[in-house]
Amino acid sequence: MTSARVVLFDVMGTLILDPFYERMPAALGMSFEELMAAKTPDAWLEFERGEIDEAAYFRKMFRDGRAFDEAALKHAIVEGWAWLPGVESILGELTRAGVACHGLSNYPVWMRELDAKVGLSDHLGQLFVSCDLGVRKPDAGAYVQTLDALGIPAHEVLFVDDRSVNVIAAEGLGMHGHRFQDATTLRADLVARGLLASS
């Protein structure tokens, strides 16, 4: 049985479908590869760290400064936010089992709209976001600020994220880690750690 008593979840790509890979390029009439080649490398990172607002992000989005339908792009992103299969049910199970759950995500101020749409706050006690923290995972500062705010030692936290680099960083600070692949493997790991009962 793990010593973890709190689960800290990444959001995009772990709990919620990330529209970046399909819906964003489609709304712009581009392939994902074309978008990656045309975008300004640091604009999204600045947006996620809260250094620029939505209007500035859209202005800086492309290297060549091209105009695009910003409203249509934003609509496609918002419409793309949805729970990944099975994870909302697991959050419910954890809550019923008395396990505290919180979120730690790299995302811009759009997280407020995402929460309003899907109800993250119905399942997560606190939500720590890079746009508020001023730093992105896997920077240690993102984890340290979160642990300090929660008042919980690292060894009592299980960190769940779909990106290995973020899990490795969390483990380096003393947290337990789970790299998310799907709800089935996540639930099996939570059972193995004694956080959920087997069905």
Side-chain angles (χ1 to χ4, degrees), residues 19 33 35 44 53 64 66 70 80 92 110 112 121 123 128 132 146 149-150 163 169-170 177-178 199:
E33 292 72 23
L35 173 59
W44 178 255
D53 61 14
D64 58 10
R66 73 185 70 175
E70 297 175 8
W110 292 343
R112 325 278 197 254
S121 297
H123 304 283
F128 302 91
D132 299 320
T146 300
L150 291 172
R163 297 192 62 211
H178 173 93
S199 49

Side-chain angles (χ1 to χ4, degrees), residues 13-162:
T14 300
L15 300 178
I16 303 297
L17 177 69
D18 191 343
F20 177 69
Y21 299 98
E22 295 183 8
R23 284 185 172 263
M24 250 181 107
L28 294 163
M30 308 171 76
S31 68
F32 178 73
E33 292 72 23
E34 289 169 335
L35 173 59
M36 292 300 289
K39 74 182 183 68
T40 304
D42 294 333
W44 178 255
L45 304 182
E46 293 172 4
F47 191 26
E48 282 198 327
R49 289 192 299 262
E51 297 166 3
I52 58 175
D53 61 14
E54 179 183 298
Y57 168 63
F58 284 150
R59 285 196 304 272
K60 296 182 68 172
M61 186 170 171
F62 289 108
R63 294 174 190 263
D64 58 10
R66 73 185 70 175
F68 59 94
D69 190 335
E70 297 175 8
L73 176 60
K74 182 67 179 296
H75 177 75
I77 291 167
V78 172
E79 288 300 302
W81 292 329
W83 290 100
L84 288 170
V87 294
E88 190 176 16
S89 175
I90 288 175
L91 288 173
E93 285 188 73
L94 286 166
T95 298
R96 291 189 294 275
V99 178
C101 298
H102 305 284
L104 173 58
S105 181
N106 291 341
Y107 217 55
V109 292
W110 292 343
M111 184 63 77
R112 325 278 197 254
E113 296 169 73
L114 191 161
D115 185 15
K117 180 185 177 187
V118 306
L120 286 170
S121 297
D122 295 339
H123 304 283
L124 302 175
Q126 294 190 60
L127 184 55
F128 302 91
V129 190
S130 58
C131 63
D132 299 320
L133 299 172
V135 64
R136 301 172 70 256
K137 299 171 298 180
D139 190 301
Y143 305 94
V144 171
Q145 287 188 61
T146 300
L147 291 171
D148 286 348
L150 291 172
I152 299 171
H155 71 270
E156 294 186 359
V157 177
L158 170 64
F159 179 68
V160 180
D161 196 302
D162 65 308

